[in-house]
Amino acid sequence: MNSRAGFESEYPFASNYLDLDGARYHYLDEGTGETLLFVHGNPTWSFAWRNLIKDLSADYRCVAVDHVGCGFSDKPQDYPYTLDQHVTNLTRLIDTLDLNNTTLIAHDWGGAIGMGAATRLPERFSRFVLMNTAAFRSTSIPLRIAICRIPIFGTLAIRGMNAFARAAISMAVEKHERMTRAVRAGFLAPYGNWADRIATLRFVEDIPLKKQHPSYGTLKQIEEGLQQFREYPVLFPWGEKDWCFTPQFLEEFLNFFPDAETLRIPEAGHYVFEDAHEKLIPRIREFLAAHPLKTVGV
């Protein structure tokens, strides 16, 4: 279980686990210093952050989670794979590890989940780096994802054929030469069979487009909670060739955070951490250095 065969050098990190009422929650905890909390989306896992962690862990404590159902975390078949549950799981990890002055670094669903944790534990967060993501309500959904929400068809495609994860390693990147055999193996490793793809499907089903959706209220609360971080340091790196979280989502974010910094990357797609990690890393370092944490009591 949790084999790294074929991508050992890409993901040379020690595994850690938190027991969440019987479900093992996998996370990385590399380096020391100020805490950077990495939160992934669907259908990725902590593997997506490997290049950033390899570099940044030299000077920072890098904690990267795998949501339940993803990566090396357990994949229970009867589980509430909802936005609220993912936020609750993340807050429990933050409390357990007693993370403070945390900088959130999030992508895709990780934006909503990470900002959900921040709105529940605002005293534990200090800065935000949000890329190709959303943490507010939207009625926009790409046709490619909408198709995956079709009953029966979506289940067979995602769980039977692993269509979502397999398509992503092609459709979500612009620099296909970077998707080497080892990188492809890493992205696909946790999702090798029907049972292991449960969360990949549930994430797609959990997109709350209408008020009647079970996660609509949770997302609304997160959206309303963004206001309290308006004056916080925020950086938006954005792959502008993303067909899912298009640049329009960045513009919407800037309505919430008008003073935020941006790093627009015209040649990068949704997996901006693959297409442009050599631009992300120095810009994140620059951002962190430009916004030092306030010393307690000062």
Side-chain angles (χ1 to χ4, degrees), residues 232-263:
Y232 281 54
V234 180
L235 171 65
F236 290 113
W238 216 269
E240 293 193 308
K241 286 192 174 181
D242 188 351
W243 52 267
C244 183
F245 290 100
T246 64
Q248 179 58 40
F249 281 86
L250 170 57
E251 298 305 324
E252 289 190 52
F253 257 127
L254 292 174
N255 290 329
F256 292 97
F257 303 103
D259 297 326
E261 301 172 33
T262 62
L263 172 62

mmCIF file of all heavy atoms in Angstrom, residues 232-263:
data_model
loop_
_atom_site.group_PDB
_atom_site.id
_atom_site.type_symbol
_atom_site.label_atom_id
_atom_site.label_comp_id
_atom_site.label_asym_id
_atom_site.label_seq_id
_atom_site.Cartn_x
_atom_site.Cartn_y
_atom_site.Cartn_z
ATOM 1 N N TYR A 232 -4.801 41.233 4.660
ATOM 2 C CA TYR A 232 -3.690 40.285 4.810
ATOM 3 C C TYR A 232 -2.868 40.235 3.523
ATOM 4 O O TYR A 232 -3.379 40.516 2.432
ATOM 5 C CB TYR A 232 -4.223 38.878 5.100
ATOM 6 C CG TYR A 232 -4.655 38.625 6.524
ATOM 7 C CD1 TYR A 232 -5.575 39.453 7.157
ATOM 8 C CD2 TYR A 232 -4.148 37.540 7.234
ATOM 9 C CE1 TYR A 232 -5.992 39.212 8.460
ATOM 10 C CE2 TYR A 232 -4.554 37.289 8.542
ATOM 11 C CZ TYR A 232 -5.474 38.124 9.145
ATOM 12 O OH TYR A 232 -5.874 37.871 10.434
ATOM 13 N N PRO A 233 -1.589 39.862 3.626
ATOM 14 C CA PRO A 233 -0.797 39.668 2.400
ATOM 15 C C PRO A 233 -1.350 38.489 1.595
ATOM 16 O O PRO A 233 -1.519 37.389 2.135
ATOM 17 C CB PRO A 233 0.607 39.363 2.935
ATOM 18 C CG PRO A 233 0.630 39.900 4.328
ATOM 19 C CD PRO A 233 -0.760 39.725 4.845
ATOM 20 N N VAL A 234 -1.643 38.728 0.328
ATOM 21 C CA VAL A 234 -2.189 37.698 -0.552
ATOM 22 C C VAL A 234 -1.462 37.745 -1.886
ATOM 23 O O VAL A 234 -1.243 38.824 -2.452
ATOM 24 C CB VAL A 234 -3.704 37.895 -0.789
ATOM 25 C CG1 VAL A 234 -4.249 36.795 -1.707
ATOM 26 C CG2 VAL A 234 -4.471 37.906 0.531
ATOM 27 N N LEU A 235 -1.099 36.571 -2.373
ATOM 28 C CA LEU A 235 -0.464 36.444 -3.686
ATOM 29 C C LEU A 235 -1.284 35.477 -4.530
ATOM 30 O O LEU A 235 -1.626 34.386 -4.071
ATOM 31 C CB LEU A 235 0.970 35.929 -3.554
ATOM 32 C CG LEU A 235 1.681 35.550 -4.863
ATOM 33 C CD1 LEU A 235 1.888 36.776 -5.755
ATOM 34 C CD2 LEU A 235 3.025 34.867 -4.567
ATOM 35 N N PHE A 236 -1.589 35.891 -5.759
ATOM 36 C CA PHE A 236 -2.312 35.029 -6.691
ATOM 37 C C PHE A 236 -1.422 34.687 -7.886
ATOM 38 O O PHE A 236 -1.387 35.428 -8.867
ATOM 39 C CB PHE A 236 -3.572 35.737 -7.214
ATOM 40 C CG PHE A 236 -4.657 35.920 -6.200
ATOM 41 C CD1 PHE A 236 -4.999 37.195 -5.757
ATOM 42 C CD2 PHE A 236 -5.353 34.835 -5.690
ATOM 43 C CE1 PHE A 236 -6.018 37.375 -4.827
ATOM 44 C CE2 PHE A 236 -6.373 35.006 -4.756
ATOM 45 C CZ PHE A 236 -6.704 36.282 -4.315
ATOM 46 N N PRO A 237 -0.709 33.570 -7.836
ATOM 47 C CA PRO A 237 -0.061 33.084 -9.062
ATOM 48 C C PRO A 237 -1.144 32.428 -9.928
ATOM 49 O O PRO A 237 -1.988 31.694 -9.412
ATOM 50 C CB PRO A 237 0.945 32.046 -8.556
ATOM 51 C CG PRO A 237 0.964 32.185 -7.053
ATOM 52 C CD PRO A 237 -0.382 32.728 -6.686
ATOM 53 N N TRP A 238 -1.118 32.666 -11.228
ATOM 54 C CA TRP A 238 -2.216 32.143 -12.046
ATOM 55 C C TRP A 238 -1.731 31.682 -13.419
ATOM 56 O O TRP A 238 -1.154 32.455 -14.182
ATOM 57 C CB TRP A 238 -3.273 33.225 -12.247
ATOM 58 C CG TRP A 238 -4.669 32.673 -12.262
ATOM 59 C CD1 TRP A 238 -5.376 32.249 -13.353
ATOM 60 C CD2 TRP A 238 -5.507 32.447 -11.121
ATOM 61 N NE1 TRP A 238 -6.608 31.782 -12.953
ATOM 62 C CE2 TRP A 238 -6.721 31.902 -11.587
ATOM 63 C CE3 TRP A 238 -5.352 32.655 -9.751
ATOM 64 C CZ2 TRP A 238 -7.774 31.555 -10.722
ATOM 65 C CZ3 TRP A 238 -6.390 32.325 -8.894
ATOM 66 C CH2 TRP A 238 -7.583 31.782 -9.384
ATOM 67 N N GLY A 239 -1.983 30.416 -13.720
ATOM 68 C CA GLY A 239 -1.748 29.908 -15.066
ATOM 69 C C GLY A 239 -2.896 30.359 -15.953
ATOM 70 O O GLY A 239 -4.033 29.943 -15.768
ATOM 71 N N GLU A 240 -2.616 31.225 -16.912
ATOM 72 C CA GLU A 240 -3.697 31.872 -17.668
ATOM 73 C C GLU A 240 -4.258 31.016 -18.797
ATOM 74 O O GLU A 240 -5.245 31.395 -19.432
ATOM 75 C CB GLU A 240 -3.212 33.218 -18.197
ATOM 76 C CG GLU A 240 -2.938 34.217 -17.077
ATOM 77 C CD GLU A 240 -2.769 35.628 -17.553
ATOM 78 O OE1 GLU A 240 -1.943 35.856 -18.471
ATOM 79 O OE2 GLU A 240 -3.461 36.512 -17.034
ATOM 80 N N LYS A 241 -3.673 29.851 -19.033
ATOM 81 C CA LYS A 241 -4.233 28.935 -20.033
ATOM 82 C C LYS A 241 -5.132 27.873 -19.398
ATOM 83 O O LYS A 241 -5.498 26.900 -20.042
ATOM 84 C CB LYS A 241 -3.120 28.284 -20.852
ATOM 85 C CG LYS A 241 -2.483 29.221 -21.859
ATOM 86 C CD LYS A 241 -1.612 28.483 -22.847
ATOM 87 C CE LYS A 241 -1.090 29.431 -23.933
ATOM 88 N NZ LYS A 241 -0.244 28.723 -24.926
ATOM 89 N N ASP A 242 -5.474 28.083 -18.153
ATOM 90 C CA ASP A 242 -6.360 27.163 -17.445
ATOM 91 C C ASP A 242 -7.776 27.279 -18.003
ATOM 92 O O ASP A 242 -8.366 28.356 -17.989
ATOM 93 C CB ASP A 242 -6.351 27.514 -15.949
ATOM 94 C CG ASP A 242 -7.092 26.508 -15.087
ATOM 95 O OD1 ASP A 242 -7.766 25.616 -15.640
ATOM 96 O OD2 ASP A 242 -6.980 26.610 -13.856
ATOM 97 N N TRP A 243 -8.329 26.167 -18.500
ATOM 98 C CA TRP A 243 -9.694 26.180 -19.036
ATOM 99 C C TRP A 243 -10.733 25.957 -17.933
ATOM 100 O O TRP A 243 -11.923 26.117 -18.168
ATOM 101 C CB TRP A 243 -9.854 25.108 -20.120
ATOM 102 C CG TRP A 243 -9.399 23.736 -19.689
ATOM 103 C CD1 TRP A 243 -8.160 23.193 -19.881
ATOM 104 C CD2 TRP A 243 -10.156 22.758 -18.972
ATOM 105 N NE1 TRP A 243 -8.100 21.930 -19.328
ATOM 106 C CE2 TRP A 243 -9.311 21.632 -18.771
ATOM 107 C CE3 TRP A 243 -11.469 22.710 -18.485
ATOM 108 C CZ2 TRP A 243 -9.744 20.492 -18.098
ATOM 109 C CZ3 TRP A 243 -11.889 21.571 -17.807
ATOM 110 C CH2 TRP A 243 -11.035 20.476 -17.632
ATOM 111 N N CYS A 244 -10.271 25.595 -16.750
ATOM 112 C CA CYS A 244 -11.187 25.346 -15.633
ATOM 113 C C CYS A 244 -11.304 26.593 -14.762
ATOM 114 O O CYS A 244 -12.328 27.265 -14.756
ATOM 115 C CB CYS A 244 -10.696 24.153 -14.821
ATOM 116 S SG CYS A 244 -11.804 23.696 -13.468
ATOM 117 N N PHE A 245 -10.243 26.921 -14.052
ATOM 118 C CA PHE A 245 -10.212 28.159 -13.274
ATOM 119 C C PHE A 245 -9.538 29.219 -14.142
ATOM 120 O O PHE A 245 -8.344 29.498 -14.018
ATOM 121 C CB PHE A 245 -9.481 27.947 -11.950
ATOM 122 C CG PHE A 245 -10.254 27.091 -10.980
ATOM 123 C CD1 PHE A 245 -9.944 25.748 -10.818
ATOM 124 C CD2 PHE A 245 -11.306 27.613 -10.247
ATOM 125 C CE1 PHE A 245 -10.669 24.952 -9.939
ATOM 126 C CE2 PHE A 245 -12.031 26.835 -9.370
ATOM 127 C CZ PHE A 245 -11.718 25.491 -9.211
ATOM 128 N N THR A 246 -10.333 29.773 -15.016
ATOM 129 C CA THR A 246 -9.856 30.736 -15.997
ATOM 130 C C THR A 246 -9.411 32.035 -15.317
ATOM 131 O O THR A 246 -9.679 32.249 -14.126
ATOM 132 C CB THR A 246 -10.984 31.064 -16.995
ATOM 133 O OG1 THR A 246 -12.043 31.704 -16.264
ATOM 134 C CG2 THR A 246 -11.519 29.796 -17.651
ATOM 135 N N PRO A 247 -8.758 32.927 -16.050
ATOM 136 C CA PRO A 247 -8.386 34.224 -15.470
ATOM 137 C C PRO A 247 -9.571 34.998 -14.907
ATOM 138 O O PRO A 247 -9.386 35.882 -14.063
ATOM 139 C CB PRO A 247 -7.739 34.952 -16.648
ATOM 140 C CG PRO A 247 -7.136 33.856 -17.477
ATOM 141 C CD PRO A 247 -8.138 32.734 -17.390
ATOM 142 N N GLN A 248 -10.794 34.683 -15.339
ATOM 143 C CA GLN A 248 -11.966 35.349 -14.788
ATOM 144 C C GLN A 248 -12.099 35.081 -13.293
ATOM 145 O O GLN A 248 -12.538 35.951 -12.534
ATOM 146 C CB GLN A 248 -13.226 34.889 -15.519
ATOM 147 C CG GLN A 248 -14.513 35.524 -14.997
ATOM 148 C CD GLN A 248 -14.492 37.046 -15.079
ATOM 149 O OE1 GLN A 248 -14.000 37.625 -16.051
ATOM 150 N NE2 GLN A 248 -15.017 37.717 -14.051
ATOM 151 N N PHE A 249 -11.689 33.891 -12.840
ATOM 152 C CA PHE A 249 -11.723 33.590 -11.413
ATOM 153 C C PHE A 249 -10.719 34.460 -10.660
ATOM 154 O O PHE A 249 -10.988 34.885 -9.528
ATOM 155 C CB PHE A 249 -11.427 32.101 -11.176
ATOM 156 C CG PHE A 249 -12.598 31.201 -11.438
ATOM 157 C CD1 PHE A 249 -12.850 30.734 -12.716
ATOM 158 C CD2 PHE A 249 -13.458 30.834 -10.410
ATOM 159 C CE1 PHE A 249 -13.934 29.907 -12.980
ATOM 160 C CE2 PHE A 249 -14.547 30.008 -10.651
ATOM 161 C CZ PHE A 249 -14.787 29.547 -11.937
ATOM 162 N N LEU A 250 -9.589 34.732 -11.271
ATOM 163 C CA LEU A 250 -8.615 35.635 -10.658
ATOM 164 C C LEU A 250 -9.228 37.032 -10.506
ATOM 165 O O LEU A 250 -9.086 37.662 -9.443
ATOM 166 C CB LEU A 250 -7.352 35.702 -11.509
ATOM 167 C CG LEU A 250 -6.327 36.773 -11.127
ATOM 168 C CD1 LEU A 250 -5.865 36.626 -9.681
ATOM 169 C CD2 LEU A 250 -5.131 36.728 -12.080
ATOM 170 N N GLU A 251 -9.898 37.495 -11.528
ATOM 171 C CA GLU A 251 -10.523 38.821 -11.456
ATOM 172 C C GLU A 251 -11.567 38.866 -10.339
ATOM 173 O O GLU A 251 -11.689 39.874 -9.627
ATOM 174 C CB GLU A 251 -11.159 39.183 -12.798
ATOM 175 C CG GLU A 251 -10.174 39.278 -13.959
ATOM 176 C CD GLU A 251 -9.018 40.234 -13.699
ATOM 177 O OE1 GLU A 251 -9.239 41.283 -13.049
ATOM 178 O OE2 GLU A 251 -7.892 39.924 -14.128
ATOM 179 N N GLU A 252 -12.315 37.787 -10.173
ATOM 180 C CA GLU A 252 -13.300 37.742 -9.087
ATOM 181 C C GLU A 252 -12.612 37.773 -7.732
ATOM 182 O O GLU A 252 -13.078 38.441 -6.801
ATOM 183 C CB GLU A 252 -14.168 36.485 -9.233
ATOM 184 C CG GLU A 252 -15.137 36.534 -10.403
ATOM 185 C CD GLU A 252 -16.135 35.378 -10.376
ATOM 186 O OE1 GLU A 252 -16.785 35.181 -9.335
ATOM 187 O OE2 GLU A 252 -16.251 34.683 -11.402
ATOM 188 N N PHE A 253 -11.514 37.068 -7.613
ATOM 189 C CA PHE A 253 -10.757 37.084 -6.353
ATOM 190 C C PHE A 253 -10.289 38.500 -6.023
ATOM 191 O O PHE A 253 -10.290 38.916 -4.855
ATOM 192 C CB PHE A 253 -9.544 36.161 -6.440
ATOM 193 C CG PHE A 253 -9.710 34.847 -5.731
ATOM 194 C CD1 PHE A 253 -9.467 33.659 -6.401
ATOM 195 C CD2 PHE A 253 -10.086 34.784 -4.395
ATOM 196 C CE1 PHE A 253 -9.608 32.429 -5.756
ATOM 197 C CE2 PHE A 253 -10.223 33.570 -3.739
ATOM 198 C CZ PHE A 253 -9.986 32.393 -4.429
ATOM 199 N N LEU A 254 -9.885 39.234 -7.041
ATOM 200 C CA LEU A 254 -9.368 40.583 -6.804
ATOM 201 C C LEU A 254 -10.459 41.539 -6.325
ATOM 202 O O LEU A 254 -10.156 42.586 -5.756
ATOM 203 C CB LEU A 254 -8.690 41.113 -8.069
ATOM 204 C CG LEU A 254 -7.384 40.388 -8.444
ATOM 205 C CD1 LEU A 254 -6.865 40.891 -9.784
ATOM 206 C CD2 LEU A 254 -6.333 40.571 -7.355
ATOM 207 N N ASN A 255 -11.717 41.179 -6.527
ATOM 208 C CA ASN A 255 -12.803 41.968 -5.939
ATOM 209 C C ASN A 255 -12.819 41.817 -4.423
ATOM 210 O O ASN A 255 -13.187 42.750 -3.698
ATOM 211 C CB ASN A 255 -14.150 41.523 -6.511
ATOM 212 C CG ASN A 255 -14.325 41.899 -7.963
ATOM 213 O OD1 ASN A 255 -13.797 42.911 -8.415
ATOM 214 N ND2 ASN A 255 -15.057 41.081 -8.712
ATOM 215 N N PHE A 256 -12.423 40.636 -3.950
ATOM 216 C CA PHE A 256 -12.344 40.392 -2.509
ATOM 217 C C PHE A 256 -11.046 40.941 -1.926
ATOM 218 O O PHE A 256 -11.016 41.400 -0.790
ATOM 219 C CB PHE A 256 -12.428 38.885 -2.221
ATOM 220 C CG PHE A 256 -13.752 38.254 -2.526
ATOM 221 C CD1 PHE A 256 -13.952 37.591 -3.731
ATOM 222 C CD2 PHE A 256 -14.803 38.326 -1.624
ATOM 223 C CE1 PHE A 256 -15.184 37.005 -4.024
ATOM 224 C CE2 PHE A 256 -16.028 37.738 -1.897
ATOM 225 C CZ PHE A 256 -16.225 37.076 -3.099
ATOM 226 N N PHE A 257 -9.963 40.864 -2.719
ATOM 227 C CA PHE A 257 -8.639 41.262 -2.240
ATOM 228 C C PHE A 257 -8.012 42.256 -3.227
ATOM 229 O O PHE A 257 -7.100 41.914 -3.985
ATOM 230 C CB PHE A 257 -7.733 40.029 -2.090
ATOM 231 C CG PHE A 257 -8.283 38.967 -1.183
ATOM 232 C CD1 PHE A 257 -8.850 37.807 -1.695
ATOM 233 C CD2 PHE A 257 -8.229 39.122 0.196
ATOM 234 C CE1 PHE A 257 -9.353 36.823 -0.857
ATOM 235 C CE2 PHE A 257 -8.728 38.149 1.046
ATOM 236 C CZ PHE A 257 -9.299 37.001 0.511
ATOM 237 N N PRO A 258 -8.500 43.493 -3.242
ATOM 238 C CA PRO A 258 -8.043 44.469 -4.243
ATOM 239 C C PRO A 258 -6.571 44.844 -4.125
ATOM 240 O O PRO A 258 -5.981 45.321 -5.100
ATOM 241 C CB PRO A 258 -8.947 45.683 -3.986
ATOM 242 C CG PRO A 258 -9.436 45.515 -2.575
ATOM 243 C CD PRO A 258 -9.545 44.043 -2.357
ATOM 244 N N ASP A 259 -5.969 44.636 -2.953
ATOM 245 C CA ASP A 259 -4.563 44.988 -2.776
ATOM 246 C C ASP A 259 -3.632 43.794 -2.965
ATOM 247 O O ASP A 259 -2.424 43.895 -2.706
ATOM 248 C CB ASP A 259 -4.348 45.576 -1.373
ATOM 249 C CG ASP A 259 -5.115 46.869 -1.173
ATOM 250 O OD1 ASP A 259 -5.248 47.632 -2.152
ATOM 251 O OD2 ASP A 259 -5.592 47.123 -0.045
ATOM 252 N N ALA A 260 -4.170 42.669 -3.400
ATOM 253 C CA ALA A 260 -3.366 41.460 -3.546
ATOM 254 C C ALA A 260 -2.336 41.604 -4.659
ATOM 255 O O ALA A 260 -2.504 42.386 -5.604
ATOM 256 C CB ALA A 260 -4.267 40.264 -3.834
ATOM 257 N N GLU A 261 -1.280 40.834 -4.536
ATOM 258 C CA GLU A 261 -0.257 40.746 -5.577
ATOM 259 C C GLU A 261 -0.615 39.603 -6.526
ATOM 260 O O GLU A 261 -1.257 38.633 -6.130
ATOM 261 C CB GLU A 261 1.110 40.502 -4.944
ATOM 262 C CG GLU A 261 1.530 41.581 -3.959
ATOM 263 C CD GLU A 261 2.790 41.216 -3.200
ATOM 264 O OE1 GLU A 261 3.672 40.539 -3.776
ATOM 265 O OE2 GLU A 261 2.903 41.582 -2.020
ATOM 266 N N THR A 262 -0.204 39.714 -7.772
ATOM 267 C CA THR A 262 -0.482 38.671 -8.749
ATOM 268 C C THR A 262 0.788 38.254 -9.476
ATOM 269 O O THR A 262 1.736 39.030 -9.589
ATOM 270 C CB THR A 262 -1.518 39.125 -9.802
ATOM 271 O OG1 THR A 262 -0.983 40.245 -10.527
ATOM 272 C CG2 THR A 262 -2.835 39.522 -9.152
ATOM 273 N N LEU A 263 0.777 37.031 -9.937
ATOM 274 C CA LEU A 263 1.813 36.523 -10.833
ATOM 275 C C LEU A 263 1.077 35.826 -11.965
ATOM 276 O O LEU A 263 0.688 34.667 -11.846
ATOM 277 C CB LEU A 263 2.747 35.541 -10.114
ATOM 278 C CG LEU A 263 3.763 34.807 -11.021
ATOM 279 C CD1 LEU A 263 4.714 35.796 -11.684
ATOM 280 C CD2 LEU A 263 4.522 33.747 -10.241
#
